[in-house]
Amino acid sequence: MRFKNLSRQLEAGPVQCQRGVCAIDIDDDGLCEAYICAHDGPNLLLDFNDGVYRLFLLPQLSDAAASSQSAVACDVNADGLEELYVHNISDETVAVPSSDRLFARHGLGWVDLFNHETNQSLRNRVSGHSLAVIDRLGNGSYGIIVQNHSPAGPLQLYEIEDQHEEKLHDVAADTGIQVLTDGTAMLAAPLFGHTMDLLIGGTEDLDRIFVAEQNGHFNELPATQGLGKTGHSASLCLVDDPRYGICCIVVRHSQDSRMYRLDKGKFVLVQCPGLEDIISPHNVVAADFDNNGYQEIYVTTTAGRNHLFAWRDGTWTEVDPGILSEPGGSCSGVCVADFNGDGCLEVLVTHGERGAQPLSLYEHEDTPNTWIRIMPLTQYYAPARGSLVTITAGGRRQTRVIDAGSSTLCQMEPIAHFGLGDAQRVEEVVVTWPDGRTQCVNDLNVNTIYKVTYPNEENVEKKHGVD
């Protein structure tokens, strides 16, 4: 596959040890920016404006004195805007370790909700890895799951207890997920139904799966229904397999990565030749880079080269990734989003496992293939992360889950992107929210992005598109 290298536009930015990336619309212009975590400097934002990509620093969000690991976005306080959670890792030699941040928009600026007097005792100062967000009650108010390193601290689930006072509460114990884990990856998605379940990748222990109940509590699946392997999981993501629908990819440090599908409540192995042979895999994402109607699977490594798998002749096949291979690179995070609004997905790769390296930004070469982008909204008009979107176009069905935190350290854009090949109309779009409500819309234009409102208001608002 042939990609364009857009990295030169980022050369003016600092060279740092970069880690996780979160796609969030910081300036409410309808396009996501990339919030980029750094170990050894300020956290940066990647923006596309006036036809040019640029890296810039927003002082209120830069957290320059901390060592940031990962970030996620979601609407915690039900104000219709996404907040930004940043997980910072601590230096054991420092008397007062750095704490995590929860940035919320107040007026024209941002404030850290942990600075509120009622929230200071809840500051997380334990080093960990990945984050995820979850709408466990299906009401549009999200919580943030923090994966701390065992034995230093258990999983935490922060929610707002009082929306007016913005008082935080850790409900992990109340909901059944206050467990010690040693994992590096998490995935929150509707795996067993419409509610958002939680998959935690372990490094020494088994991968753990928590299934959501209607009352917001979680039950852990027995190991016999799990992924059938010991841990060492580095990264997790979902992919739309043309045969089985949504499948889960588990990338393992131990050179034994696998793909699984759900069958009668159990995970069953799916063949993806070559996936299990990748040496030192670190991150995995799935996206339709060429808009042909089939997702590709991109696996980055901390040594050697990166790998790309595509759907060819009825099976997954490893293909030439071109410049995405990055031989000799040391990849940390990967974020996929349409940062420039042209209907094609860009790939942002951070580096920092072995020291400071420049960022990489890629986009597939121009293609005549069509596309459609669907953005479900909560009842508060914020992005409805964790929603399921299914479309029918050109005689085929495709499914996506609005990302709530996946791969490792990262979170993708809150939009379902579908390549359509040569299709000229989309016959049907069905959105299922975490509370089980659905909205069906028929006969939509291609090369258009649609916002789909929560079913209290039966309408679809056209945001922008290419006629």
Side-chain angles (χ1 to χ4, degrees):
M1 297 181 69
R2 300 179 64 86
F3 289 84
K4 298 180 288 187
N5 193 341
L6 308 175
S7 307
R8 287 187 177 181
Q9 297 187 40
L10 311 182
E11 290 179 351
V15 177
Q16 304 180 128
C17 290
Q18 315 281 5
R19 301 293 284 168
V21 184
C22 168
I24 176 175
D25 186 359
I26 291 288
D27 54 9
D28 298 320
D29 66 349
L31 296 175
C32 280
E33 286 73 42
Y35 182 85
I36 304 166
C37 298
H39 265 201
D40 56 350
N43 299 332
L44 301 175
L45 286 159
L46 170 69
D47 182 36
F48 183 83
N49 194 16
D50 293 331
V52 178
Y53 293 96
R54 66 184 180 109
L55 288 169
F56 70 100
L57 183 150
L58 190 61
Q60 293 172 316
L61 300 178
S62 65
D63 213 6
S67 183
S68 297
Q69 178 87 322
S70 53
V72 290
C74 65
D75 185 6
V76 181
N77 58 8
D79 65 350
L81 300 170
E82 289 200 310
E83 283 67 56
L84 178 68
Y85 191 101
V86 182
H87 181 52
N88 292 321
I89 60 176
S90 298
D91 184 343
E92 295 179 357
T93 65
V94 177
V96 180
S98 297
S99 69
D100 292 354
R101 313 293 187 200
L102 179 53
F103 295 112
R105 277 173 266 210
H106 279 202
L108 299 177
W110 294 78
V111 299
D112 180 4
L113 295 186
F114 282 120
N115 284 337
H116 289 187
E117 184 176 353
T118 56
N119 297 332
Q120 290 181 10
S121 63
L122 289 172
R123 287 183 183 274
N124 180 50
R125 300 185 187 274
V126 180
S127 294
H129 212 79
S130 289
L131 303 165
V133 307
I134 199 160
D135 181 6
R136 65 182 182 89
L137 297 175
N139 60 4
S141 295
Y142 286 80
I144 298 162
I145 304 173
V146 184
Q147 186 182 45
N148 293 317
H149 286 321
S150 173
L155 237 63
Q156 293 171 292
L157 173 51
Y158 289 114
E159 294 181 352
I160 291 285
E161 187 176 76
D162 187 319
Q163 304 292 350
H164 298 290
E165 296 183 3
E166 295 185 317
K167 183 179 180 181
L168 290 166
H169 184 53
D170 181 2
V171 299
D174 298 336
T175 58
I177 62 169
Q178 193 183 54
V179 296
L180 290 170
T181 71
D182 60 351
T184 59
M186 282 197 299
L187 188 151
L191 300 174
F192 294 88
H194 57 78
T195 52
M196 297 181 68
D197 309 304
L198 182 63
L199 174 57
I200 303 172
T203 53
E204 297 296 335
D205 299 330
L206 290 170
D207 299 318
R208 306 178 73 169
I209 302 168
F210 294 84
V211 180
E213 296 181 343
Q214 294 288 343
N215 62 4
H217 193 270
F218 294 88
N219 289 320
E220 185 170 4
L221 279 186
T224 54
Q225 290 181 255
L227 300 174
K229 297 287 290 184
T230 54
H232 304 281
S233 296
S235 184
L236 304 164
C237 86
L238 300 178
V239 63
D240 185 13
D241 186 290
R243 298 161 297 184
Y244 307 117
I246 292 294
C247 292
C248 180
I249 301 173
V250 182
V251 166
R252 303 185 190 277
H253 292 297
S254 56
Q255 198 176 331
D256 195 16
S257 303
R258 302 292 180 93
M259 183 188 301
Y260 299 88
R261 64 183 174 91
L262 271 169
D263 182 30
K264 298 178 181 178
K266 292 186 178 182
F267 286 89
V268 178
L269 190 65
V270 174
Q271 293 300 316
C272 183
L275 183 64
E276 66 275 13
D277 299 324
I278 297 175
I279 299 172
S280 302
H282 184 69
N283 226 319
V284 59
V285 293
D288 189 353
F289 297 119
D290 58 1
N291 283 339
N292 70 341
Y294 300 90
Q295 287 186 304
E296 287 79 46
I297 301 168
Y298 183 45
V299 183
T300 66
T301 69
T302 55
R305 65 179 183 87
N306 302 331
H307 299 257
L308 189 67
F309 297 84
W311 186 256
R312 298 285 188 270
D313 300 322
T315 188
W316 291 106
T317 304
E318 186 165 6
V319 298
D320 182 3
I323 56 176
L324 262 63
S325 64
E326 293 198 332
S330 180
C331 299
S332 296
V334 182
C335 184
V336 175
D338 184 9
F339 294 115
N340 62 8
D342 67 351
C344 290
L345 295 172
E346 288 82 60
V347 189
L348 178 64
V349 183
T350 66
H351 309 88
E353 294 296 314
R354 297 180 182 176
Q357 288 181 281
L359 294 162
S360 300
L361 183 65
Y362 306 104
E363 183 182 60
H364 194 273
E365 290 192 349
D366 295 342
T367 169
N369 293 331
T370 59
W371 50 271
I372 191 170
R373 289 165 58 78
I374 306 297
M375 184 178 186
L377 301 176
T378 69
Q379 60 176 312
Y380 306 109
Y381 298 95
R385 294 186 184 267
S387 295
L388 191 72
V389 183
T390 299
I391 71 162
T392 302
R396 287 189 59 241
R397 294 185 67 190
Q398 299 185 58
T399 302
R400 305 283 189 269
V401 175
I402 305 300
D403 192 56
S406 61
S407 60
T408 185
L409 307 179
C410 298
Q411 187 186 49
M412 312 301 138
E413 63 179 352
I415 299 175
H417 178 94
F418 299 91
L420 303 175
D422 60 3
Q424 297 302 309
R425 299 293 293 176
V426 175
E427 291 96 50
E428 182 182 69
V429 172
V430 179
V431 177
T432 304
W433 279 262
D435 67 352
R437 297 196 186 193
T438 62
Q439 177 89 287
C440 180
V441 186
N442 297 309
D443 194 28
L444 297 180
N445 296 326
V446 301
N447 297 348
T448 308
I449 179 171
Y450 290 91
K451 287 184 175 180
V452 182
T453 58
Y454 188 71
N456 283 344
E457 296 181 19
E458 298 181 359
N459 69 304
V460 178
E461 177 190 352
K462 179 177 177 180
K463 176 68 175 176
H464 64 74
V466 179
D467 295 330

